mmCIF file of all heavy atoms in Angstrom:
data_model
loop_
_atom_site.group_PDB
_atom_site.id
_atom_site.type_symbol
_atom_site.label_atom_id
_atom_site.label_comp_id
_atom_site.label_asym_id
_atom_site.label_seq_id
_atom_site.Cartn_x
_atom_site.Cartn_y
_atom_site.Cartn_z
ATOM 1 N N THR A 1642 -14.032 -3.868 12.468
ATOM 2 C CA THR A 1642 -12.838 -4.708 12.428
ATOM 3 C C THR A 1642 -12.162 -4.681 13.792
ATOM 4 O O THR A 1642 -12.174 -3.656 14.470
ATOM 5 C CB THR A 1642 -11.804 -4.221 11.399
ATOM 6 O OG1 THR A 1642 -11.238 -2.974 11.849
ATOM 7 C CG2 THR A 1642 -12.409 -4.026 10.031
ATOM 8 N N GLY A 1643 -11.605 -5.790 14.181
ATOM 9 C CA GLY A 1643 -10.813 -5.828 15.411
ATOM 10 C C GLY A 1643 -11.045 -7.088 16.208
ATOM 11 O O GLY A 1643 -12.187 -7.434 16.513
ATOM 12 N N ASP A 1644 -9.949 -7.794 16.541
ATOM 13 C CA ASP A 1644 -10.035 -9.014 17.344
ATOM 14 C C ASP A 1644 -10.465 -8.743 18.779
ATOM 15 O O ASP A 1644 -10.866 -9.653 19.485
ATOM 16 C CB ASP A 1644 -8.655 -9.717 17.367
ATOM 17 C CG ASP A 1644 -8.403 -10.489 16.083
ATOM 18 O OD1 ASP A 1644 -9.391 -10.891 15.423
ATOM 19 O OD2 ASP A 1644 -7.220 -10.681 15.723
ATOM 20 N N GLU A 1645 -10.366 -7.478 19.202
ATOM 21 C CA GLU A 1645 -10.717 -7.163 20.599
ATOM 22 C C GLU A 1645 -12.215 -6.952 20.787
ATOM 23 O O GLU A 1645 -12.676 -6.755 21.910
ATOM 24 C CB GLU A 1645 -9.957 -5.904 21.051
ATOM 25 C CG GLU A 1645 -10.476 -4.561 20.527
ATOM 26 C CD GLU A 1645 -10.036 -4.215 19.095
ATOM 27 O OE1 GLU A 1645 -9.798 -5.144 18.300
ATOM 28 O OE2 GLU A 1645 -9.957 -3.012 18.771
ATOM 29 N N ASP A 1685 -8.970 -9.373 12.903
ATOM 30 C CA ASP A 1685 -7.799 -8.724 12.322
ATOM 31 C C ASP A 1685 -7.016 -9.701 11.452
ATOM 32 O O ASP A 1685 -5.850 -10.017 11.731
ATOM 33 C CB ASP A 1685 -6.918 -8.147 13.429
ATOM 34 C CG ASP A 1685 -7.532 -6.882 14.023
ATOM 35 O OD1 ASP A 1685 -8.065 -6.060 13.258
ATOM 36 O OD2 ASP A 1685 -7.489 -6.726 15.255
ATOM 37 N N THR A 1707 -14.947 0.361 10.101
ATOM 38 C CA THR A 1707 -14.324 1.124 11.174
ATOM 39 C C THR A 1707 -13.192 0.320 11.762
ATOM 40 O O THR A 1707 -13.265 -0.891 11.889
ATOM 41 C CB THR A 1707 -15.282 1.515 12.325
ATOM 42 O OG1 THR A 1707 -15.308 0.459 13.263
ATOM 43 C CG2 THR A 1707 -16.627 1.830 11.832
ATOM 44 N N GLY A 1708 -12.149 1.048 12.137
ATOM 45 C CA GLY A 1708 -10.957 0.438 12.724
ATOM 46 C C GLY A 1708 -10.071 -0.139 11.638
ATOM 47 O O GLY A 1708 -10.418 -0.155 10.451
ATOM 48 N N GLY A 1709 -8.910 -0.565 12.076
ATOM 49 C CA GLY A 1709 -7.990 -1.213 11.146
ATOM 50 C C GLY A 1709 -7.368 -0.291 10.123
ATOM 51 O O GLY A 1709 -6.743 -0.749 9.161
ATOM 52 N N VAL A 1710 -7.517 1.015 10.325
ATOM 53 C CA VAL A 1710 -6.955 1.938 9.336
ATOM 54 C C VAL A 1710 -5.752 2.718 9.890
ATOM 55 O O VAL A 1710 -5.215 3.578 9.230
ATOM 56 C CB VAL A 1710 -8.012 2.943 8.804
ATOM 57 C CG1 VAL A 1710 -8.967 2.255 7.860
ATOM 58 C CG2 VAL A 1710 -8.770 3.603 9.943
ATOM 59 N N SER A 1711 -5.366 2.390 11.141
ATOM 60 C CA SER A 1711 -4.174 3.055 11.683
ATOM 61 C C SER A 1711 -2.933 2.396 11.080
ATOM 62 O O SER A 1711 -3.013 1.665 10.108
ATOM 63 C CB SER A 1711 -4.138 2.963 13.206
ATOM 64 O OG SER A 1711 -5.431 3.047 13.733
ATOM 65 N N TYR A 1715 -1.746 -4.850 12.771
ATOM 66 C CA TYR A 1715 -2.935 -5.613 12.402
ATOM 67 C C TYR A 1715 -3.956 -4.762 11.668
ATOM 68 O O TYR A 1715 -5.121 -5.090 11.606
ATOM 69 C CB TYR A 1715 -3.553 -6.244 13.661
ATOM 70 C CG TYR A 1715 -2.599 -7.187 14.321
ATOM 71 C CD1 TYR A 1715 -1.791 -6.769 15.368
ATOM 72 C CD2 TYR A 1715 -2.450 -8.499 13.858
ATOM 73 C CE1 TYR A 1715 -0.880 -7.618 15.954
ATOM 74 C CE2 TYR A 1715 -1.538 -9.357 14.427
ATOM 75 C CZ TYR A 1715 -0.746 -8.910 15.483
ATOM 76 O OH TYR A 1715 0.158 -9.765 16.040
ATOM 77 N N ASP A 1716 -3.522 -3.649 11.145
ATOM 78 C CA ASP A 1716 -4.445 -2.756 10.441
ATOM 79 C C ASP A 1716 -4.447 -3.099 8.957
ATOM 80 O O ASP A 1716 -3.669 -2.573 8.171
ATOM 81 C CB ASP A 1716 -4.072 -1.288 10.698
ATOM 82 C CG ASP A 1716 -4.339 -0.904 12.153
ATOM 83 O OD1 ASP A 1716 -5.319 -1.429 12.715
ATOM 84 O OD2 ASP A 1716 -3.571 -0.117 12.717
ATOM 85 N N GLY A 1757 -11.157 3.811 14.223
ATOM 86 C CA GLY A 1757 -11.712 2.859 15.184
ATOM 87 C C GLY A 1757 -12.255 3.542 16.434
ATOM 88 O O GLY A 1757 -13.196 3.057 17.061
HETATM 89 MG MG1 MG B 973 -8.251 -2.513 15.154
#
Side-chain angles (χ1 to χ4, degrees):
T1642 69
D1644 281 335
E1645 76 280 28
D1685 285 319
T1707 87
V1710 286
S1711 324
Y1715 299 95
D1716 291 325

